[in-house]
Amino acid sequence: MPHHDIEPGEQPRRRVGCMTLITNQNGDVLTVQTTYRSKPTLPGGAAHQDEKLADAATRELAEETGLRRRLAQILAVDQTPPNARTGATEGLNVVFDGGTLTPEEEAALSIPAKAHAEIEALVWVAPTDLDEKCDPYQARRIKHALAAREFDQALPALFRGELAA
């Protein structure tokens, strides 16, 4: 069925953020404190043009934390409105499941040298502290992602009907 309400040459622009939920053995959530936000967020960022979402989440996770993960499961999709203050367009934020770090992986975590201008700290946040430590929308997003993981409600990350990772 054709979409007559959208002109072929005027497709809507929508930003897609790709982030990753990682926990430690205690169930704490790995967040990043950026230089441009007052509160920590999940590691992640915008997908580039023509980049698979799983690849974008993998790239952003490595750039911000040094962690390399195969990301194949989506825990949440969060639609966001445009932000006139920042100039951000309407968007979708896709939260991938990065699993639980081993104690050795957690001990080895450090901010990559190339990320020091953007990332101030890697911050572990207990689920009970999300409302206090994170912006309300971030806390809600993380709680929904944690619940999806807990109840095994992840979705496969697909690209044209095939597993993307």
Side-chain angles (χ1 to χ4, degrees):
M1 168 197 260
H3 293 273
H4 297 292
D5 59 331
I6 299 174
E7 293 294 325
E10 296 178 21
Q11 294 293 313
R13 295 186 51 83
R14 182 172 279 155
R15 173 185 46 79
V16 180
C18 300
M19 49 210 54
T20 305
L21 176 77
I22 301 255
T23 52
N24 64 12
Q25 298 289 312
N26 298 324
D28 300 327
V29 176
L30 178 63
T31 64
V32 293
Q33 180 60 60
T34 64
T35 57
Y36 51 87
R37 293 185 188 266
S38 62
K39 295 187 176 186
T41 66
L42 290 175
H48 296 162
Q49 184 71 33
D50 299 323
E51 184 177 29
K52 292 178 184 174
L53 301 184
D55 291 347
T58 299
R59 174 183 50 76
E60 286 287 343
L61 181 65
E63 287 175 2
E64 295 183 357
T65 69
L67 289 170
R68 304 227 179 260
R69 286 281 200 261
R70 179 180 178 270
L71 302 174
Q73 297 290 309
I74 295 171
L75 296 171
V77 177
D78 189 6
Q79 185 174 357
T80 58
N83 185 328
R85 183 181 58 79
T86 65
T89 59
E90 170 193 17
L92 296 174
N93 288 289
V94 180
V95 181
F96 286 83
D97 189 354
T100 301
L101 297 185
T102 65
E104 296 77 22
E105 289 172 317
E106 183 178 357
L109 269 180
S110 65
I111 302 168
K114 290 182 178 180
H116 282 269
E118 178 185 3
I119 308 297
E120 291 180 352
L122 303 177
V123 181
W124 290 101
V125 179
T128 55
D129 295 337
L130 288 167
D131 290 327
E132 174 190 340
K133 305 278 185 184
C134 298
D135 284 325
Y137 74 96
Q138 286 282 341
R140 290 189 299 268
R141 180 184 293 158
I142 295 168
K143 287 177 188 179
H144 282 291
L146 286 168
R149 180 197 275 175
E150 179 182 352
F151 295 108
D152 198 25
Q153 295 178 332
L155 297 171
L158 302 176
F159 181 77
R160 297 184 58 87
E162 295 182 5
L163 287 175

